Amino acid sequence: TADAIALERKIVTAVPGPKSQAMHERRKAAVSNGVGAALPVYIAAAHDSIVVDIDGNQFIDMASGIGVTTIGHTDPAVVSAVQNQVASFTHTCFTVTPYEDYVRVAELLAAHTPGTHAKKAVLVNSGAEAVENAIKIARKYTGKNAVGVLDHAYHGRTNMTMAMNFKNSPYATGYGSLGTAVFRAPSSYPYWDGMTGEEAAERTIWYFEKQVGVADLACIFAEPIQGEGGFMVPADGYLNRIQEWCTENNVVFIADEVQSGVARTGAYYASETFGLVPDLITTAKGIAGGMPLAGVVGRAEIMDASHPGGLGGTFGGNPVSCAAAVAVFEQIERENLLGEAQRVEKTLVGGLLELQKKYPIIGEVRGKGAMIAIELVQPGTKKANPEAVTKAIAYAFQKGVLLLNAGTNYNVIRFLPSVKTSDELLLDVVSVLDEAFAAL
Ligand code: PMP
């Protein structure tokens, strides 16, 4: 069984091995070319922070399926919650004949998001669907239409969210006309812009005031720490000032915490680490231990502006996913996983700062909790170095470490480990990167 896997990396074939290569050929004949393949080893089992492929290779997982298995693969409490629920019932549709765990997840989201005001939630299936719903909810509440987004943002691959991403290419290229009424402003990227939070916020606000104006602006989306964009931590006070401006102008402030939420940054939601109390939060990824689940949670009066039947969908808040989510929240409490995320930050950032002293291609080490990144540059400049990222990730892959890139310029390596990853494994990852940079 998965929990018998030794927690270490172990490479026994070429990577990808012969079985993965054969499987990849099968895949190419059957799966759309439009579906990416970052690290094409095919997986047989996984436990904690170790993933085992069908050739018997073991990898330390710094990807977590893009930040999903935050409390580790096959967490025993999640496995048993899922098994029990599957054996009871798998689906009734919450909008037809409801069940307790959906309500329980909504209660947990209300309890663990910032602010003591009355909150309500809706559950859906993916991060992008949560964003889509948050737009509907904000439009209905304000009676306004326009959606504000930031430079470097990523919000998904559905029709509306495609229009909200900073990068048209590759996410929207060739996919036809985009959702309308989306306006974009510069964000806060201290490493690049050198601005204080206040200066960056005034610039953002100026853009929104000039491009659209508060009379038409329904909402602003901000990722508290930008995910795909490169894990930029905004300057102090930046998000707070934007939120304040939103409140003054009846604009719904929405924190897209799809990537940064659920213990990832050492708090339940990253907003809390900035002292933010968003009107709405979108959540997904880590919420259900790998089961598909997402949601929008926020101020009751905003959530309740929608009429019955306006929100929902067949699979939204699936009972198996909800049972898994309840187990995830219980594990976060039981195993002090917020503290564990803070430990991961200390160990990983410590190790990466040591590497930065040795390798001037590391321009910046940044992030919070188990959401850490390094931006690679041409030494002595801030010019992007995506080639070094590609090479370092390929090297680590060969040695048994799964890493993902990020960044508008693809020049960021991001670390999204399970918060339970041991210090020993984290330092092993750092040592593999040390070799990778030495080899460059
Ligand atoms: N918002 C953010 C901040 C994300 O990081 C992502 C996924 N990377 C999404 C939305 C979209 O989530 P999903 O892939 O589940 O649709």
Side-chain angles (χ1 to χ4, degrees):
T1 59
D3 57 8
I5 294 169
L7 299 183
E8 61 191 20
R9 69 188 163 95
K10 190 176 79 186
I11 295 300
V12 295
T13 69
V15 174
K19 289 182 183 164
S20 277
Q21 286 183 33
M23 194 67 84
H24 204 59
E25 290 310 306
R26 250 179 79 193
R27 168 203 172 122
K28 282 197 273 188
V31 177
S32 164
N33 188 47
V35 182
L39 302 163
V41 286
Y42 286 72
I43 301 310
H47 188 62
D48 195 282
S49 330
I50 299 293
V51 160
V52 186
D53 76 8
I54 55 177
D55 290 286
N57 297 303
Q58 295 197 178
F59 298 85
I60 306 176
D61 193 1
M62 293 290 111
S64 300
I66 323 188
V68 168
T69 49
T70 309
I71 72 162
H73 292 279
T74 53
D75 177 276
V78 173
V79 170
S80 84
V82 166
Q83 285 171 337
N84 289 338
Q85 184 57 47
V86 161
S88 303
F89 63 96
T90 55
H91 179 81
T92 60
C93 189
F94 187 76
T95 61
V96 180
T97 47
Y99 38 87
E100 179 181 354
D101 278 350
Y102 186 118
V103 180
R104 185 77 195 115
V105 172
E107 289 168 348
L108 286 163
L109 288 173
H112 292 303
T113 45
T116 52
H117 51 280
K119 294 175 209 152
K120 293 196 181 183
V122 57
L123 302 181
V124 293
N125 304 291
S126 70
E129 199 186 346
V131 173
E132 294 268 0
N133 276 279
I135 295 168
K136 286 169 61 178
I137 291 163
R139 282 178 168 169
K140 187 83 182 180
Y141 173 72
T142 59
K144 301 190 275 184
N145 191 41
V147 175
V149 293
L150 298 174
D151 283 357
H152 309 289
Y154 179 82
H155 297 291
R157 284 183 169 86
T158 56
N159 243 27
M160 189 66 192
T161 57
M162 270 196 304
M164 298 165 69
N165 299 334
F166 184 60
K167 290 204 276 196
N168 192 70
S169 167
Y171 304 121
T173 307
Y175 292 129
S177 49
L178 296 173
T180 53
V182 176
F183 296 86
R184 184 179 311 285
S187 51
S188 168
Y189 192 162
Y191 179 63
W192 275 12
D193 62 34
M195 291 170 124
T196 65
E198 202 175 317
E199 289 163 353
E202 287 318 311
R203 182 177 64 171
T204 302
I205 290 165
W206 183 84
Y207 266 78
F208 286 132
E209 277 176 342
K210 297 301 160 191
Q211 287 186 334
V212 50
V214 295
D216 286 333
L217 192 60
C219 57
I220 289 178
F221 279 85
E223 298 159 77
I225 297 176
Q226 291 189 306
E228 304 304 309
F231 287 21
M232 287 81 92
V233 181
D236 282 346
Y238 172 76
L239 293 168
N240 310 70
R241 175 64 193 121
I242 308 257
Q243 172 168 33
E244 188 182 60
W245 178 81
C246 284
T247 304
E248 288 161 9
N249 292 293
N250 188 33
V251 175
V252 178
F253 180 81
I254 305 170
D256 182 351
E257 294 236 30
V258 165
Q259 193 152 166
S260 59
V262 198
R264 176 55 60 195
T265 63
Y268 273 102
Y269 286 88
S271 291
E272 200 184 317
T273 71
F274 295 98
L276 284 176
V277 184
D279 296 316
L280 301 180
I281 286 180
T282 53
T283 185
K285 290 196 190 280
I287 191 175
M291 299 298 291
L293 187 68
V296 184
V297 57
R299 292 188 185 281
E301 67 275 18
I302 301 178
M303 296 298 296
D304 277 346
S306 281
H307 50 280
L311 306 177
T314 307
F315 288 121
N318 170 271
V320 184
S321 296
C322 286
V326 171
V328 165
F329 278 104
E330 286 172 358
Q331 285 294 73
I332 292 171
E333 288 296 316
R334 194 181 294 129
E335 303 198 320
N336 180 30
L337 298 186
L338 304 181
E340 286 292 272
Q342 291 157 20
R343 171 190 58 80
V344 167
E345 173 180 340
K346 207 158 158 261
T347 305
L348 197 51
V349 169
L352 294 170
L353 287 173
E354 285 303 311
L355 288 189
Q356 191 184 28
K357 288 184 196 154
K358 278 169 82 172
Y359 303 107
I361 59 168
I362 302 179
E364 190 177 49
V365 179
R366 59 177 176 247
K368 292 189 182 189
M371 186 171 185
I372 303 296
I374 51 178
E375 176 159 349
L376 299 191
V377 295
Q378 314 286 347
T381 75
K382 290 184 180 175
K383 264 190 80 181
N385 194 341
E387 300 80 16
V389 166
T390 305
K391 284 182 184 157
I393 288 176
Y395 182 96
F397 189 34
Q398 296 300 317
K399 298 289 175 181
V401 177
L402 301 180
L403 285 167
L404 295 174
N405 70 12
T408 297
N409 295 313
Y410 302 104
N411 68 321
V412 173
I413 299 178
R414 59 175 147 170
F415 303 83
L416 284 168
S418 155
V419 299
K420 294 207 287 201
T421 311
S422 68
D423 286 342
E424 194 187 345
L425 288 179
L426 293 169
L427 294 174
D428 192 23
V429 168
V430 172
S431 77
V432 168
L433 271 177
D434 193 349
E435 289 169 27
F437 291 140
L440 276 176

